[in-house]
Amino acid sequence: MKAIPYGRQHITQKDIDGVVEVLKSDYMTQGPRIAEFETKFADYIGCKYAVAVSNGTAALHLSVLALGLRPGEKVITTPITFAASANCVLYAGGIVDFADICPKTFLIDLDKIEEKLANSPAGSYKGIIPVDFGGLPVDTERLRQIADKYDLWILEDACHAPGAYFTNTQEQRIYCGDGTYADLSIFSFHPVKHIATGEGGMITTNNKDLYEKLLLLRTHGITKSVDLLTENHGGWYYEMHELGYNYRLPDLSASLGITQLDNAEAGVQKRKQIAKKYQQAFDELGISYQICPDNTYNAYHLFIILVKNRKELYNKLRENNIFSQVHYIPVHLQPFYKNKGWNKGDLPQAEAYYEQCLSLPMYPTLTDEEQDFVIEKVKEVCV
Ligand SMILES: *Cc1c(COP(=O)(O)O)cnc(C)c1O
């Protein structure tokens, strides 16, 4: 049997044809595919504005800058995420604080955030970066209430969750990244994520000022927009207004994003089917997995189980050409963050989760046969 990874891209002939078309056109970058991808992505997610960038990490970096984070200012995030969710705060000179997770959903625990805020002097924190971990939406409705009480911004890391939603107290569907409660949301198009463009990212928002700031920061802080210029020397003239970056997405990648979006909804449906089959099998075997609250619709970037003999299972799967993965080593226990004063014991739920978590293969092209094989191997080790 061929290797079974924990996640992988699904590239169609349409994706390939689209890229070839871009290669034959006048634009490899800064062409018409960018705006087309942004509009189509905003439609899919249900937000007003979308800004395509070179990767998810660049999306996080530009977001904290657009939100105005300054050196020395504090931001709260979860320890169970990819390092970039925390690192972006440091790029802007800020300070990262971690709040522990809920042991059932594996998401940042909103009670812990409230506790932290209530026990700190007013104005101690500037923002919160929640992560829709595994594809499960954070309750941004409640988080917004907390954030408003303490005057904080919300930057939602939705890399795992395009297509996920929860129903709020008014029975409305709130899609991850739709701009209802978060100030900004970010996505990644790395090949293991739902939509694959090689490298790529997106920032979504309903806030026009933030949107315009992001556009400027994405290309060096330079503008040619006539109404923004302070002088005008002629057709060549441009001005640099901010210290920005080159975080643009090439048209080649944007083209992939456009055609990949056609399969996004079907991909989420397929992930859901795969999750259901895992859940049925593991309910019978008494193996626990990420709990999805009733009002939430998980986009299943990951399917995570908790097992006591995790290392044994990981090795056994690997012997059988099944490449499971651990998401994540708690960020606060990385040597870099330990050097900033974090220690084992600081976030007990996250650390206990890390001892047992394992992400099983989860991607739309995983076959029934392959999934049966994975389940069979899990059973051999864990029952
Ligand atoms: C993938 C990922 C990122 C970073 O995205 P890149 O495109 O790889 O830079 C950030 N946060 C989370 C939660 C991710 O999964």
Side-chain angles (χ1 to χ4, degrees):
M1 197 178 267
K2 69 178 198 297
I4 306 175
Y6 82 87
R8 67 160 294 151
Q9 71 275 23
H10 174 43
I11 299 297
T12 65
Q13 191 57 43
K14 208 164 146 196
D15 294 326
I16 295 167
D17 293 344
V19 172
V20 170
E21 206 177 294
V22 173
L23 282 169
K24 290 176 177 170
S25 79
D26 292 336
Y27 294 96
M28 293 180 79
T29 189
Q30 294 180 278
R33 291 291 187 274
I34 307 302
E36 190 184 337
F37 181 31
E38 289 171 339
T39 305
K40 196 167 173 179
F41 192 81
D43 265 5
Y44 178 61
I45 295 297
C47 63
K48 281 194 188 144
Y49 310 104
V51 179
V53 293
S54 45
N55 55 63
T57 305
L60 285 162
H61 186 191
L62 289 193
S63 294
V64 295
L65 293 177
L67 289 162
L69 185 66
R70 303 205 159 272
E73 294 181 340
K74 275 166 94 174
V75 175
I76 300 170
T77 191
T78 170
I80 298 300
T81 184
F82 184 57
S85 316
N87 294 348
C88 64
V89 173
L90 303 179
Y91 296 162
I95 298 166
V96 180
D97 194 4
F98 296 101
D100 211 349
I101 62 164
C102 160
K104 291 203 165 75
T105 62
F106 314 153
L107 301 178
I108 194 166
D109 186 334
L110 303 193
D111 292 335
K112 293 268 162 55
I113 295 179
E114 274 207 293
E115 218 172 90
K116 201 182 267 298
L117 291 166
N119 294 322
S120 309
S124 296
Y125 293 90
K126 288 293 165 182
I128 306 172
I129 305 178
V131 178
D132 301 313
F133 177 63
L136 187 61
V138 166
D139 180 356
T140 46
E141 184 184 29
R142 181 175 161 212
L143 187 63
R144 183 79 260 173
Q145 287 169 355
I146 298 170
D148 284 348
K149 187 168 164 197
Y150 293 93
D151 196 20
L152 310 175
W153 46 253
I154 299 173
L155 165 54
E156 176 187 22
D157 183 336
C159 285
H160 296 183
Y165 63 80
F166 70 95
T167 42
N168 70 3
T169 50
Q170 274 93 61
E171 299 291 317
Q172 296 160 315
R173 274 191 189 182
I174 305 298
Y175 280 85
C176 292
D178 74 3
T180 304
Y181 298 117
D183 297 282
L184 295 175
S185 301
I186 69 106
F187 296 86
S188 163
F189 307 125
H190 183 279
V192 296
K193 311 285 162 75
H194 285 58
I195 295 157
T197 69
E199 298 284 354
M202 192 75 82
I203 309 165
T204 61
T205 185
N206 286 348
N207 181 318
K208 190 157 187 271
D209 290 340
L210 289 174
Y211 170 64
E212 283 169 358
K213 210 157 187 184
L214 289 166
L215 290 182
L216 201 61
L217 289 168
R218 176 175 63 178
T219 40
H220 311 281
I222 285 175
T223 183
K224 284 194 87 170
S225 174
V226 177
D227 30 316
L228 293 179
L229 298 177
T230 60
E231 299 174 30
N232 197 346
H233 305 172
W236 67 86
Y237 191 69
Y238 62 82
E239 282 178 354
M240 182 186 141
H241 287 182
E242 299 257 0
L243 184 62
Y245 297 82
N246 176 359
Y247 279 167
R248 293 185 300 259
L249 185 74
D251 277 56
L252 294 167
S253 307
S255 170
L256 273 172
I258 292 164
T259 49
Q260 286 268 299
L261 268 175
D262 291 337
N263 294 325
E265 185 53 44
V268 174
Q269 295 296 344
K270 189 68 210 298
R271 286 169 186 272
K272 201 139 179 93
Q273 273 174 25
I274 293 168
K276 201 164 181 183
K277 183 162 164 177
Y278 275 139
Q279 285 162 349
Q280 276 164 359
F282 297 144
D283 281 344
E284 277 172 31
L285 300 174
I287 292 171
S288 57
Y289 47 81
Q290 185 179 28
I291 298 297
C292 188
D294 282 344
N295 66 328
T296 59
Y297 183 90
N298 194 331
Y300 288 109
H301 166 56
L302 303 173
F303 191 89
I304 304 161
I305 58 171
L306 297 179
V307 286
K308 292 216 162 57
N309 47 353
R310 190 259 313 271
K311 192 167 182 180
E312 189 192 340
L313 176 58
Y314 175 88
N315 288 335
K316 172 81 174 186
L317 293 173
R318 201 157 172 161
E319 276 165 31
N320 285 281
N321 239 354
I322 301 164
F323 294 83
S324 63
Q325 186 56 278
V326 169
H327 296 94
Y328 292 92
I329 303 161
V331 178
H332 72 289
L333 296 182
Q334 292 293 348
F336 178 84
Y337 282 93
K338 277 176 142 176
N339 283 336
K340 294 188 170 294
W342 290 93
N343 274 307
K344 208 163 178 171
D346 287 343
L347 301 161
Q349 297 296 352
E351 292 165 27
Y353 161 83
Y354 170 62
E355 293 302 317
Q356 300 197 358
C357 67
L358 196 66
S359 305
L360 297 178
M362 169 56 88
Y363 48 91
T365 55
L366 183 73
T367 66
D368 253 354
E369 211 181 12
E370 287 168 331
Q371 193 182 3
D372 288 338
F373 183 63
V374 173
I375 293 168
E376 187 189 308
K377 293 298 151 193
V378 173
K379 196 170 170 179
E380 277 176 32
V381 177
C382 298
V383 177

